[in-house]
Amino acid sequence: MPKIPRIISVANQKGGVGKTTTTINLGAALAASGLKVLIIDLDPQGNASTGLGIEQADRKKSTYDLILNDAPLEDVAISANVPNLWITPATTDLSSADLELVSTARRVFLLKDALRNTETYVMEFDYILIDCPPSLNLLTLNAMVASDTVLVPLQAEFFALEGLSQLMLSVREIRETANPQLRLEGVVLTMYDRRNNLCHQVEVDARENLQALVFKTMIPRNVRLSEAPSYGMPVTNYDPTSRGAVAYKALAREILERQISSGKVSHGG
């Protein structure tokens, strides 16, 4: 029986909250634990691809081809230069995908069709992480329809929780219409500065409002996290002992532990 991957959308319609940083480094941390991980770069800016050192010349086929040209996943996925980690890279072609999807009959199911089939399962990924664009557009809806869960990076700043309500509403709507199994993986606080009273207050509010949905692990503000993408590698490789790397390894452990406790750890494998 082929292994069925667990698919997680990393989403927040607000930009600059650490979404791509979380996708790259969580993916690398899961891969470091011996799991086979695929990152789907669904953001037209292609930051996840750049952050993993994928040159434009190497992006011969992209996530656009996977969704709109029926390209098989094995033709699109390439090694991310990290053991056990793969990526379907993004190109600027994705920026027109939203317009093209509008006139397509199964417009919110195309990514699901591409990822939830026996050809994909043969590649035996344990996890697929989808780096969504910073908006609730048709690409993000495709990601959520294809996913088991949604992981929300939440920057520890004023008004952080207000933007979250719209995202949670979208998750609920998709659950009611296109993907009844979809649920929230959880919320991870990012760019956390323990010396900042506002960060602490956002944490308190988030834990009061969302309770167990908020991960214990918080991602700190960390220079190494900011530097790593310019070297084309995750922080877990760039500086494995940095606070950022340690935090993402802890987040990976917490996600795996939650999966074990929910009885879903052997997802078909």
Side-chain angles (χ1 to χ4, degrees):
M1 181 179 172
K3 185 180 287 182
I4 300 172
R6 182 170 178 78
I7 304 178
I8 302 175
S9 282
V10 183
N12 190 326
Q13 76 271 27
K14 195 170 183 301
V17 297
K19 183 175 50 61
T20 299
T21 300
T22 295
T23 307
I24 290 173
N25 292 296
L26 175 59
L30 289 167
S33 69
L35 297 166
K36 189 174 179 184
V37 181
L38 172 68
I39 289 173
I40 305 281
D41 191 349
L42 201 59
D43 188 340
Q45 296 174 87
N47 290 339
S49 306
T50 305
L52 286 169
I54 310 300
E55 302 289 344
Q56 289 290 340
D58 295 327
R59 305 180 198 183
K60 294 180 174 62
K61 286 227 165 51
S62 69
T63 308
Y64 176 91
D65 297 300
L66 182 72
I67 297 173
L68 284 152
N69 291 338
D70 294 325
L73 181 63
E74 59 187 335
D75 289 354
V76 182
I78 57 177
S79 169
N81 307 312
V82 173
N84 295 326
L85 188 63
W86 298 69
I87 185 168
T88 67
T91 60
T92 51
D93 289 350
L94 267 180
S95 55
S96 65
D98 232 46
L99 286 172
E100 294 174 57
L101 285 167
V102 168
S103 58
T104 307
R106 287 178 57 79
R107 56 182 172 267
V108 298
F109 292 95
L110 297 182
L111 186 57
K112 179 181 180 179
D113 293 344
L115 296 180
R116 301 248 181 218
N117 60 50
T118 50
E119 287 83 1
T120 298
Y121 298 161
V122 166
M123 295 188 77
E124 299 206 316
F125 289 110
D126 294 290
Y127 276 85
I128 297 177
L129 305 181
I130 307 174
D131 187 31
C132 297
S135 59
L136 292 172
N137 60 12
L138 279 172
L139 287 173
T140 302
L141 294 180
N142 261 271
M144 291 185 183
V145 170
S147 294
D148 297 298
T149 60
V150 179
L151 173 64
V152 185
L154 191 72
Q155 186 179 351
E157 63 165 12
F158 199 57
F159 292 139
L161 290 175
E162 290 192 8
L164 185 62
S165 57
Q166 180 59 49
L167 181 65
M168 293 176 83
L169 195 62
S170 298
V171 170
R172 191 177 306 131
E173 285 172 1
I174 288 166
R175 191 187 296 135
E176 289 169 359
T177 55
N179 181 2
Q181 277 72 49
L182 185 68
R183 65 176 184 79
L184 277 171
E185 182 72 36
V187 173
V188 57
L189 289 165
T190 60
M191 304 181 198
Y192 191 87
D193 184 347
R194 292 186 182 279
R195 299 162 300 180
N196 186 317
N197 286 336
L198 177 58
C199 283
H200 176 67
Q201 191 55 52
V202 171
E203 180 198 353
V204 170
D205 290 348
R207 294 193 190 282
E208 276 181 7
N209 283 284
L210 304 168
Q211 298 178 349
L213 275 176
V214 182
F215 285 97
K216 295 186 186 79
T217 304
M218 296 183 289
I219 310 302
R221 280 200 178 275
N222 181 243
V223 173
R224 294 302 204 208
L225 269 179
S226 306
E227 290 174 350
S230 64
Y231 290 89
M233 62 178 78
V235 74
T236 47
N237 289 58
Y238 175 63
D239 186 349
T241 61
S242 65
R243 286 168 58 240
V246 169
Y248 276 112
K249 288 173 194 168
L251 179 62
R253 279 195 304 274
E254 201 173 341
I255 284 175
L256 292 172
E257 284 163 7
R258 282 189 179 193
Q259 211 180 332
I260 290 167
S261 64
S262 67
K264 295 178 179 175
V265 72
S266 56
H267 219 67

